[in-house]
Amino acid sequence: MLGKFGKKLLTLMTTMAAVLLSSPVVFAAEALPGAGESYVKVIYAVGAMVAAGFAIGLGAIGAGAGIGNAANGACQAVGRNPGVQGKIMTVMLVGMAMAESVCIYALVVALVLLYANPYVKYFLG
Protein backbone atom coordinates (compact mmCIF):
# COMPACT_ATOMS: atom_id res chain seq x y z
CA MET A 1 0.00 0.00 0.00
CA LEU A 2 2.76 2.48 0.95
CA GLY A 3 5.65 2.95 -1.42
CA LYS A 4 9.30 2.97 -0.41
CA PHE A 5 9.22 6.69 0.26
CA GLY A 6 6.06 6.40 2.36
CA LYS A 7 7.57 3.66 4.51
CA LYS A 8 10.77 5.63 5.05
CA LEU A 9 8.78 8.75 5.90
CA LEU A 10 6.60 6.81 8.35
CA THR A 11 9.68 5.29 9.99
CA LEU A 12 11.33 8.69 10.27
CA MET A 13 8.24 10.33 11.76
CA THR A 14 7.73 7.49 14.25
CA THR A 15 11.36 7.67 15.34
CA MET A 16 11.23 11.45 15.73
CA ALA A 17 8.02 11.21 17.76
CA ALA A 18 9.58 8.59 20.04
CA VAL A 19 12.69 10.71 20.60
CA LEU A 20 10.73 13.91 21.23
CA LEU A 21 8.33 12.23 23.64
CA SER A 22 10.94 10.27 25.58
CA SER A 23 13.62 12.96 26.03
CA PRO A 24 11.72 15.09 28.59
CA VAL A 25 11.19 12.00 30.71
CA VAL A 26 14.89 11.18 30.67
CA PHE A 27 16.18 14.65 31.47
CA ALA A 28 13.45 15.93 33.79
CA ALA A 29 14.38 13.82 36.81
CA GLU A 30 17.65 15.56 37.65
CA ALA A 31 16.23 19.08 37.32
CA LEU A 32 13.29 18.74 39.69
CA PRO A 33 13.85 20.20 43.15
CA GLY A 34 13.27 18.16 46.27
CA ALA A 35 10.68 18.79 48.94
CA GLY A 36 10.74 22.33 50.30
CA GLU A 37 13.08 23.69 47.62
CA SER A 38 12.29 26.49 45.22
CA TYR A 39 11.69 26.16 41.50
CA VAL A 40 13.82 29.27 40.87
CA LYS A 41 16.91 27.17 40.08
CA VAL A 42 15.00 25.07 37.58
CA ILE A 43 13.41 28.08 35.89
CA TYR A 44 16.77 29.85 35.74
CA ALA A 45 18.50 26.78 34.27
CA VAL A 46 15.79 26.37 31.63
CA GLY A 47 15.99 30.08 30.78
CA ALA A 48 19.77 29.82 30.37
CA MET A 49 19.35 26.80 28.10
CA VAL A 50 16.78 28.58 25.94
CA ALA A 51 18.96 31.69 25.73
CA ALA A 52 21.99 29.58 24.75
CA GLY A 53 19.92 27.90 22.05
CA PHE A 54 18.80 31.24 20.65
CA ALA A 55 22.36 32.60 20.79
CA ILE A 56 23.92 29.78 18.81
CA GLY A 57 20.93 29.50 16.47
CA LEU A 58 20.91 33.15 15.49
CA GLY A 59 24.69 33.21 15.28
CA ALA A 60 24.71 30.22 12.95
CA ILE A 61 22.00 31.74 10.76
CA GLY A 62 23.98 34.97 10.48
CA ALA A 63 27.22 33.16 9.69
CA GLY A 64 25.50 31.00 7.08
CA ALA A 65 23.99 34.03 5.40
CA GLY A 66 27.32 35.87 5.41
CA ILE A 67 29.27 32.93 4.03
CA GLY A 68 26.65 32.34 1.36
CA ASN A 69 26.73 35.98 0.37
CA ALA A 70 30.53 35.93 0.13
CA ALA A 71 30.53 32.79 -2.00
CA ASN A 72 27.80 34.22 -4.25
CA GLY A 73 29.74 37.43 -4.82
CA ALA A 74 32.97 35.56 -5.50
CA CYS A 75 31.32 33.23 -8.00
CA GLN A 76 29.80 36.16 -9.87
CA ALA A 77 33.09 38.06 -9.86
CA VAL A 78 35.08 35.07 -11.16
CA GLY A 79 32.43 34.50 -13.81
CA ARG A 80 32.82 38.08 -15.03
CA ASN A 81 36.62 38.22 -14.84
CA PRO A 82 38.34 34.80 -14.53
CA GLY A 83 41.81 36.37 -14.70
CA VAL A 84 41.68 37.66 -11.12
CA GLN A 85 40.50 34.44 -9.53
CA GLY A 86 43.41 34.30 -7.06
CA LYS A 87 42.75 37.75 -5.62
CA ILE A 88 39.01 37.14 -5.44
CA MET A 89 39.51 33.82 -3.66
CA THR A 90 41.77 35.45 -1.08
CA VAL A 91 39.28 38.19 -0.33
CA MET A 92 36.43 35.67 -0.26
CA LEU A 93 38.21 33.44 2.26
CA VAL A 94 38.95 36.40 4.53
CA GLY A 95 35.29 37.44 4.35
CA MET A 96 34.15 33.90 5.11
CA ALA A 97 36.48 33.76 8.11
CA MET A 98 35.04 37.02 9.43
CA ALA A 99 31.50 35.70 9.01
CA GLU A 100 32.42 32.44 10.71
CA SER A 101 33.87 34.32 13.67
CA VAL A 102 30.35 35.58 14.43
CA CYS A 103 29.23 31.97 14.87
CA ILE A 104 32.21 31.23 17.09
CA TYR A 105 31.39 34.25 19.27
CA ALA A 106 27.80 33.01 19.53
CA LEU A 107 29.09 29.58 20.58
CA VAL A 108 31.24 31.20 23.29
CA VAL A 109 28.24 33.17 24.56
CA ALA A 110 26.12 30.01 24.61
CA LEU A 111 28.78 28.08 26.53
CA VAL A 112 29.17 30.92 29.04
CA LEU A 113 25.40 30.97 29.57
CA LEU A 114 25.36 27.24 30.19
CA TYR A 115 28.50 26.63 32.24
CA ALA A 116 30.00 29.88 33.59
CA ASN A 117 27.03 32.18 33.90
CA PRO A 118 28.06 35.36 35.74
CA TYR A 119 24.46 36.19 36.70
CA VAL A 120 23.87 33.09 38.81
CA LYS A 121 24.87 34.90 41.99
CA TYR A 122 22.20 37.55 41.45
CA PHE A 123 19.33 35.14 40.91
CA LEU A 124 20.25 32.13 43.01
CA GLY A 125 22.05 33.79 45.88
Side-chain angles (χ1 to χ4, degrees):
M1 187 160 85
L2 290 174
K4 282 185 176 181
F5 180 73
K7 288 181 182 179
K8 289 181 182 179
L9 184 63
L10 181 64
T11 303
L12 177 68
M13 294 305 246
T14 306
T15 305
M16 292 297 291
V19 168
L20 289 174
L21 293 175
S22 65
S23 61
V25 175
V26 172
F27 295 115
E30 67 186 59
L32 292 176
E37 291 186 27
S38 172
Y39 279 97
V40 173
K41 289 182 181 179
V42 176
I43 293 170
Y44 185 79
V46 169
M49 290 177 204
V50 169
F54 276 122
I56 193 66
L58 294 176
I61 288 171
I67 289 171
N69 193 12
N72 181 26
C75 287
Q76 288 180 1
V78 169
R80 290 182 185 150
N81 191 0
V84 292
Q85 179 182 3
K87 290 181 181 180
I88 292 171
M89 291 296 287
T90 303
V91 173
M92 180 193 73
L93 290 176
V94 170
M96 285 182 168
M98 294 296 162
E100 189 65 30
S101 68
V102 172
C103 189
I104 294 170
Y105 294 145
L107 175 65
V108 169
V109 168
L111 291 175
V112 165
L113 283 173
L114 289 176
Y115 298 111
N117 199 331
Y119 298 111
V120 171
K121 61 184 174 186
Y122 296 117
F123 291 101
L124 303 180

